[in-house]
Amino acid sequence: MSEPLVRVDDVARAYHARRGLFGRPVEVAAVDGVSFALGRGETLGIVGESGSGKSTTGRLVLGLEPTDRGGVVFDGAPMPKGGTAEWRRLRARMQMIFQDPLGALDRRLPIAEQIREPLDIHGVGDRLSRLDRVGDLLDRVGLGVDHGRRYPHELSGGQRQRAVLARALATTPDFLVCDEPISALDVSIQAQVVNLLVDLQAEFGLAMLFVSHDLRVVRQISRRVVVMYLGRIVEEGSADDLFATPVHPYTRALVSAAPTPGRRLVDRIVLGGDPPNPADRPTGCAFHPRCPVAEARCRVETPRLVDVGAGRRAACLLVAADATPNREAA
Ligand code: SF4
């Protein structure tokens, strides 16, 4: 990859929580040692169950939350501290799409004004050109001028997410973080919004971090995929390779549970139990209590994320470094 647009180096973030009602406060690692790179115009999917740290990773990358360790490099320069004037200027080039479009919009303002807002804030063009730009953006996301006059509660869920997209694209950003952008939408609308995102990404040359628990959509939209479990990356690879030959037992289980044409339901790997409480992280490999192929050493040895060949990484004691993933074994 040429110089990436976004480079994330060993990023970590912890919160404080109590073990039980009267327990002592403990530090809970939401994200721990996450590193990856994202090229211009590339989409990187982040998947994992609830509590895997995927959404926190998205916020850390954008500087919406401070990191406890590590850092982010954006377009060759360290990401400025969140909230500073330098960071706010950079926000014109980095936008975020949230899960709940109604929560992301101001209920008191018509849609067109909200799409124009980033142009006003960043001083893009004059009044007339901003109005033209708003019309173009509405049109580009499949909304009309009439939708621009309405308030958020007067639009459907899909129309609201289109409006949020139009606002995010107003300043022609280079980088978009999408955090579960379709999970609050009706199934019938989800495909439309995904197709729109794919089209817009190609048209605007956007780099995109696509956070989702929906592997079907991540596979459709991403070139590379990162799989997270309890705050750490357990596997990374191209979407084609990772879905065809998942290496890590957790990825195998996730992929086996995602509906895929031509694969029988009996091939599904059912994981026992829920993800563990992050405040009670299991020793050794954090996945060992649920891993169908765990060995005794998995309780005490912590696997490192290592290259397993063909541009892929995995963190499992049973996967040798630089081993080419075995298609039969998957
Ligand atoms: Fe399973 Fe052990 Fe690999 Fe962890 S290290 S994923 S417990 S086999």
Side-chain angles (χ1 to χ4, degrees), residues 248-249 285 287-288 291 293-294 298 303 316-318:
H248 194 281
C285 174
F287 185 55
H288 84 254
C291 180
V293 292
C298 301
C316 170
L317 297 170
L318 304 194

Side-chain angles (χ1 to χ4, degrees), residues 113-133:
E113 279 190 41
Q114 302 196 48
I115 296 173
R116 205 191 63 215
E117 210 169 36
L119 301 171
D120 296 341
I121 290 170
H122 294 286
V124 180
D126 56 21
R127 190 178 162 278
L128 220 54
S129 67
R130 287 177 202 168
L131 289 177
D132 280 350
R133 175 95 178 123

Side-chain angles (χ1 to χ4, degrees), residues 115 130-140 143-145:
I115 296 173
R130 287 177 202 168
L131 289 177
D132 280 350
R133 175 95 178 123
V134 170
D136 285 348
L137 287 162
L138 281 167
D139 183 51
R140 194 57 204 86
L143 296 175
V145 175

Side-chain angles (χ1 to χ4, degrees), residues 34-320:
V34 164
S35 303
F36 56 80
L38 182 58
R40 293 171 196 279
E42 186 186 23
T43 299
L44 179 76
I46 304 187
V47 298
E49 293 163 295
S50 168
S52 61
K54 55 189 189 304
S55 292
T56 306
T57 299
R59 289 198 298 276
L60 293 174
V61 172
L62 273 190
L64 295 174
E65 280 192 44
T67 57
D68 297 331
R69 192 184 74 225
V72 177
V73 173
F74 181 79
D75 203 6
M79 177 75 75
K81 204 164 166 233
T84 59
E86 198 188 343
W87 177 79
R88 277 195 291 273
R89 267 198 305 279
L90 205 57
R91 281 305 307 275
R93 299 180 60 195
M94 314 178 297
Q95 296 288 340
M96 184 151 188
I97 306 286
F98 295 94
Q99 178 178 357
D100 173 19
L102 191 57
L105 292 166
D106 187 334
R107 294 166 196 239
R108 300 160 303 177
L109 283 181
I111 294 298
E113 279 190 41
Q114 302 196 48
I115 296 173
R116 205 191 63 215
E117 210 169 36
L119 301 171
D120 296 341
I121 290 170
H122 294 286
V124 180
D126 56 21
R127 190 178 162 278
L128 220 54
S129 67
R130 287 177 202 168
L131 289 177
D132 280 350
R133 175 95 178 123
V134 170
D136 285 348
L137 287 162
L138 281 167
D139 183 51
R140 194 57 204 86
V141 299
L143 296 175
V145 175
D146 175 53
H147 294 108
R149 294 194 197 99
R150 298 190 206 167
Y151 290 82
H153 68 274
E154 296 176 304
L155 300 181
S156 68
Q159 289 169 337
R160 281 184 212 125
Q161 199 58 299
R162 286 169 187 268
V164 169
L165 253 174
R167 189 178 61 181
L169 296 173
T171 52
T172 326
D174 304 297
F175 179 41
L176 201 59
V177 175
C178 301
D179 186 6
E180 301 275 8
I182 59 162
S183 55
L185 304 179
D186 287 347
V187 175
S188 58
I189 307 295
Q190 289 183 352
Q192 292 176 18
V193 174
V194 168
N195 290 338
L196 179 62
L197 268 169
V198 172
D199 289 350
L200 293 173
Q201 191 210 9
E203 184 182 331
F204 288 76
L206 284 165
M208 203 151 70
L209 196 63
F210 193 89
V211 176
S212 177
H213 67 278
D214 188 334
L215 268 73
R216 197 176 35 95
V217 176
V218 167
R219 182 179 198 168
Q220 181 187 345
I221 209 166
S222 309
R223 202 171 104 199
R224 293 186 68 74
V225 176
V226 158
V227 182
M228 290 187 70
Y229 188 78
L230 273 188
R232 294 182 186 166
I233 295 178
V234 296
E235 184 161 357
E236 181 189 351
S238 78
D240 286 346
D241 288 347
L242 189 136
F243 283 97
T245 59
V247 172
H248 194 281
Y250 178 59
T251 315
R252 285 188 202 165
L254 290 183
V255 169
S256 79
T260 306
R263 203 184 48 233
R264 294 171 302 154
L265 214 58
V266 289
D267 296 336
R268 180 175 178 173
I269 302 167
V270 179
L271 289 178
D274 295 320
N277 180 351
D280 251 326
R281 187 182 182 87
T283 56
C285 174
F287 185 55
H288 84 254
R290 304 170 76 198
C291 180
V293 292
E295 299 181 349
R297 62 177 172 146
C298 301
R299 295 172 183 271
V300 286
E301 288 179 46
T302 305
R304 286 184 309 112
L305 188 65
V306 294
D307 287 341
V308 293
R312 300 176 67 175
R313 299 189 294 166
C316 170
L317 297 170
L318 304 194
V319 178

